[in-house]
Amino acid sequence: MSDTPLKFRSIWISDIHLGTAGCQADYLLDFLKHVDADHLYLVGDIIDGWALKRSWFWNQSHNDVIQKVLRKARKGTQVTYIPGNHDEGARQFLGLMFGDIRIADEVIHTTADGRRFLVLHGDRFDGVVQCARWLAIVGDRLYGITLRLNHWFNRARARLGLGYWSLSQYLKHKVKTAVNFVSDFEEAVAAEARARGVDGVICGHIHKAEMREIGGVVYCNDGDWVESLTALVELANGELKIVTWQKYYAEQAAQIAELVTPSPVFQGVTPA
């Protein structure tokens, strides 16, 4: 991949869950290294406070993600941080600036083609989080177990030369109740955008990247950096697209492997 950054007008990322073993920080760092934008929106669940309260997990790549974002802010990218439910502690600082980063509960983003989008995390539309917090915490712990299984499963896949695959995402797409929950969530968030009189909504929270029209408004979910490794980006003309970074990461990793792996001829093996 070229060292020239991919230039976007705006980027939305969410549900990074720094502080958990499931966070795919290396993929995110690679993404941040190869992109640039005028606006960067951190749409909640950036640091997983729930997980860190249970047990401490933090490695250098998690530090590197934060440093990379701060560096982009210092160099002129307008960074807006919208806390979610896992990093809800940051909501006490709404309206303030953290260095060069603005902290807000929600914002209205106007695209280059004049469309107005409500940007928020989305947990307020999750009935489990709002009405039964204890159930959400139990579910979060079960989810954490699934992610740990996923970690070892993908280590085995890597040894076989296979790419990243999310067990938790697969299960969510197969379980009927989970599918129904996602659909209900999307409908509720779209209804809020319609009631606000905006053209669309951009959110995170449910770890399912999606972009479609619902009832006359554009619903966009930027996905996550635990399961789908996705971001929502705005092109210079205002067009919105979902980017799945694993494809680019795998391409780059293959190029590096070719450079560092000795040619078979030097190992006494004649290439086919």
Side-chain angles (χ1 to χ4, degrees):
M1 178 181 289
S2 170
D3 289 332
T4 303
L6 300 170
K7 177 65 177 179
F8 300 109
R9 185 171 185 267
S10 308
I11 298 174
W12 293 264
I13 56 176
S14 75
D15 300 273
I16 299 170
H17 292 277
L18 294 169
T20 69
C23 170
Q24 300 298 318
D26 289 335
Y27 285 96
L28 179 56
L29 279 170
D30 189 66
F31 172 74
L32 293 173
K33 175 183 176 181
H34 288 98
V35 299
D36 198 7
D38 298 329
H39 307 275
L40 173 61
Y41 294 95
L42 309 174
V43 195
D45 288 0
I46 306 305
I47 298 175
D48 196 325
W50 291 10
L52 289 173
K53 285 180 181 178
R54 294 194 299 269
S55 62
W56 186 259
F57 180 91
W58 197 271
N59 60 32
Q60 184 58 46
S61 64
H62 295 209
N63 270 341
D64 293 341
V65 167
I66 292 177
Q67 291 299 323
K68 178 66 74 173
V69 171
L70 290 172
R71 190 174 301 116
K72 285 184 177 294
R74 287 196 302 269
K75 290 186 175 181
T77 298
Q78 295 183 32
V79 181
T80 302
Y81 173 27
I82 299 172
N85 49 305
H86 283 259
D87 48 10
E88 59 191 352
R91 286 175 171 160
Q92 62 185 305
F93 304 112
L94 295 177
L96 301 179
M97 296 288 291
F98 176 73
D100 297 302
I101 298 176
R102 176 175 58 140
I103 304 176
D105 189 44
E106 60 180 46
V107 297
I108 298 293
H109 174 82
T110 303
T111 59
D113 55 6
R115 291 178 295 166
R116 298 171 67 245
F117 282 80
L118 173 65
V119 184
L120 41 70
H121 179 64
D123 58 297
R124 74 179 72 167
F125 300 96
D126 180 345
V128 175
V129 172
Q130 296 299 320
C131 303
R133 182 177 173 83
W134 67 271
L135 182 58
I137 293 173
V138 170
D140 180 64
R141 293 186 179 184
L142 291 175
Y143 178 59
I145 293 172
T146 305
L147 290 179
R148 284 193 289 274
L149 292 173
N150 197 63
H151 171 73
W152 291 108
F153 178 73
N154 274 287
R155 288 192 66 174
R157 284 178 61 86
R159 292 192 184 100
L160 296 173
L162 300 174
Y164 182 81
W165 183 82
S166 174
L167 171 63
S168 53
Q169 188 176 51
Y170 172 80
L171 293 175
K172 278 201 281 187
H173 290 173
K174 290 296 183 181
V175 177
K176 183 178 180 180
T177 52
V179 173
N180 290 340
F181 165 78
V182 168
S183 178
D184 291 345
F185 173 87
E186 292 173 343
E187 293 283 349
V189 175
E192 178 68 14
R194 196 160 48 248
R196 300 278 195 101
V198 295
D199 298 292
V201 61
I202 298 171
C203 62
H205 185 57
I206 59 171
H207 295 207
K208 184 178 186 298
E210 185 72 83
M211 188 168 61
R212 63 190 179 96
E213 185 174 315
I214 304 177
V217 301
V218 180
Y219 168 85
C220 302
N221 194 303
D222 59 28
D224 68 284
W225 289 87
V226 175
E227 300 172 76
S228 57
L229 314 182
T230 53
L232 181 73
V233 300
E234 178 191 359
L235 306 184
N237 63 358
E239 182 182 0
L240 299 177
K241 287 183 175 292
I242 292 173
V243 174
T244 302
W245 193 251
Q246 181 185 356
K247 297 175 183 177
Y248 297 92
Y249 185 93
E251 174 188 327
Q252 179 175 303
Q255 292 174 355
I256 293 173
E258 289 180 1
L259 294 175
V260 301
T261 302
S263 171
V265 71
F266 295 113
Q267 298 174 339
V269 178
T270 301

